[in-house]
Amino acid sequence: MNRPIKTLYVVLFSLLLLPVSLLALANLADYRMPAKPSVLDGGLAKSIERHYDEQFPLKQAGINLWAALEYLAFGEGRSGLVIGDGGWLYSDEEFDPVPDAQRQMRDNLALIRGVQRQLEQRDIHLVLAILPAKTRLYPEHTGEHHPSALQTSLYPRFHRAVRNAGIAAPDLLGPLLAGKGKAQMFLRTDTHWTPQGADVTARALSDVVRSAMQLRGDPQRFVTETVETRAHQGDLTRFLPLAPLFESLLPRADQLQQRETHSAQAGSDDLFADSDMPVALVGTSYSANPAWNFAGALRQHLQRDLGNYAEEGEGPLVPMLKYLQSEEFADNPPQLVIWEFPERYLPMTSDFTDFDPQWLAALKAGGERQGLAAASH
């Protein structure tokens, strides 16, 4: 359906929904107020809302309808989403300015340097894999939306700061830009990269590692295979609650080539059984989610097994702090830590409530804050 027909479809559905909505509203007459209504803390409002939700027979339809009207009339979704051209969706975290960004960047850079110093004390090498934003790699699909000045400058500033601090951080934008002419590096409807983008990044990082150091142990051969190609509705479509009534309005699903990596050693049933892991991978859902197979691609190109300590939904700093305090790090220190760190997280706050404030303060103090602060401008 073209856009005018889709719009007419939504309007007609709205006219059908109106009498049902009025009927549900009339059911508020059956509402029984609590004996002691709590007005100031919102308890009464929540009670009424619960009653209305229970009496509203087409609640999901209403959600779908409102989302469809916003999408068709204004080209917008829920807060958190930026809708580009041609079915491309972006997180607004890659566009919007961040309150108190300069101070937060200084604090986060100090923590990064503190992590490096902790690793240095145990003779462990750190490679910081700064992932460029989707908007940086695919600006041609953002339409009329443009990242703020802060977001535009973030990637080069981040690299300059860590380079001045002596932290290894290879440029990953160049290989990804070169790779996008051959395959899609990021998913249209998701914040994340494709398995192809993860593979390009893993190859670039592995080339840098091999040229800088000799990993312990004998090389191992790993094989990566495409096990299926499937439709993938990205995480950003959650900000367009159009299904099930208006599912046809959603951008077409991505085609995800699911890959898996396994040891090529004959008779190896368990990829991770009793093997020395000279490499530790820490990071975000770009590394933790097996759909992208980033850890597998690193194993193949590094020719070494690795431990994956990345976590979803925590950002890049929290998983690293957890790893530094883990028994695994204390008892089985790696030779190399690869820290996957999306650029957009540099000016963002993290939830450090599970960590000892004195330990965090000491980590920051060990990060030579002044030098990094100067480099962040």
Side-chain angles (χ1 to χ4, degrees):
M1 292 189 293
N2 57 33
R3 193 177 186 88
I5 294 177
K6 290 179 179 178
T7 304
L8 178 62
Y9 175 55
V10 173
V11 171
L12 291 175
F13 184 84
S14 304
L15 294 176
L16 291 173
L17 183 64
L18 181 60
V20 180
S21 301
L22 292 175
L23 178 61
L25 187 62
N27 286 334
L28 283 177
D30 298 332
Y31 174 70
R32 296 291 180 266
M33 186 176 295
K36 294 182 179 180
S38 52
V39 178
L40 296 180
D41 64 356
L44 179 60
K46 290 179 181 178
S47 174
I48 295 174
E49 181 182 354
R50 263 195 316 272
H51 176 82
Y52 186 73
D53 285 346
E54 293 170 358
Q55 297 298 321
F56 189 31
L58 291 178
K59 178 183 177 182
Q60 185 60 50
I63 294 173
N64 292 165
L65 174 62
W66 184 253
L69 289 173
E70 280 191 316
Y71 183 51
L72 292 174
F74 306 107
E76 296 178 355
R78 286 183 172 178
S79 177
L81 177 68
V82 171
I83 300 175
D85 295 334
W88 280 77
L89 306 179
Y90 297 84
S91 168
D92 66 359
E93 292 176 345
E94 297 188 1
F95 289 83
D96 296 342
V98 180
D100 203 16
Q102 300 301 327
R103 181 193 62 79
Q104 193 58 53
M105 283 195 292
R106 288 194 297 269
D107 287 350
N108 288 342
L109 285 166
L111 275 176
I112 292 169
R113 173 59 175 155
V115 167
Q116 184 207 26
R117 288 173 62 87
Q118 287 245 329
L119 296 176
E120 282 180 340
Q121 290 171 6
R122 302 197 62 172
D123 198 25
I124 299 171
H125 298 272
L126 172 66
V127 171
L128 191 64
I130 303 174
L131 303 190
K134 182 177 175 179
T135 53
R136 196 174 302 281
L137 195 58
Y138 287 99
E140 63 269 30
H141 300 299
T142 60
E144 62 183 13
H145 306 282
H146 303 286
S148 65
L150 169 70
Q151 301 295 343
T152 300
S153 66
L154 202 52
Y155 187 77
R157 289 175 65 181
F158 198 170
H159 269 276
R160 183 168 62 250
V162 297
R163 183 174 61 247
N164 291 346
I167 301 173
D171 173 42
L172 301 176
L173 179 60
L176 286 167
L177 285 172
K180 77 182 244 188
K182 303 174 184 177
Q184 194 168 306
M185 299 288 100
F186 272 77
L187 294 158
R188 284 183 300 99
T189 65
D190 206 294
T191 53
H192 298 93
W193 51 16
T194 62
Q196 294 93 325
D199 183 77
V200 166
T201 302
R203 185 185 296 272
L205 289 168
S206 300
D207 289 344
V208 170
V209 169
R210 283 198 302 270
S211 66
M213 62 185 299
Q214 177 64 45
L215 291 174
R216 68 186 184 222
D218 296 327
Q220 303 176 52
R221 184 166 173 261
F222 293 90
V223 177
T224 298
E225 298 176 333
T226 300
V227 294
E228 66 172 336
T229 299
R230 57 181 173 84
H232 174 81
Q233 280 288 4
D235 59 358
L236 291 171
T237 61
R238 292 177 300 179
F239 296 92
L240 285 173
L242 297 167
L245 292 178
F246 305 112
E247 193 167 2
S248 63
L249 295 179
L250 284 169
R252 72 184 187 280
D254 283 284
Q255 292 299 306
L256 179 68
Q257 293 184 7
Q258 183 64 64
R259 297 178 174 184
E260 291 183 0
T261 300
H262 58 85
S263 173
Q265 180 180 343
S268 176
D269 295 326
D270 187 350
L271 178 62
F272 310 109
D274 299 324
S275 60
D276 176 43
M277 297 186 188
V279 181
L281 172 63
V282 185
T284 69
S285 51
Y286 285 83
S287 299
N289 193 326
W292 329 129
N293 196 47
F294 181 51
L298 280 172
R299 290 186 180 100
Q300 179 180 4
H301 295 303
L302 287 172
Q303 297 185 321
R304 296 295 192 281
D305 202 354
L306 60 82
N308 189 354
Y309 305 96
E311 297 185 21
E312 297 192 66
E314 296 283 2
L317 286 165
V318 170
M320 175 58 80
L321 299 179
K322 286 183 180 179
Y323 177 59
L324 291 181
Q325 295 192 328
S326 68
E327 291 184 4
E328 182 64 28
F329 177 73
D331 298 338
N332 301 291
Q335 183 183 1
L336 168 69
V337 171
I338 296 176
W339 191 2
E340 168 258 307
F341 201 122
E343 62 164 288
R344 72 176 186 271
Y345 282 101
L346 181 61
M348 294 172 62
T349 58
S350 300
D351 183 3
F352 295 143
T353 54
D354 291 338
F355 300 99
D356 179 7
Q358 292 184 338
W359 180 72
L360 283 176
L363 199 63
K364 284 184 182 180
E368 300 176 353
R369 189 168 181 168
Q370 294 302 318
L372 278 169
S376 66
H377 291 285

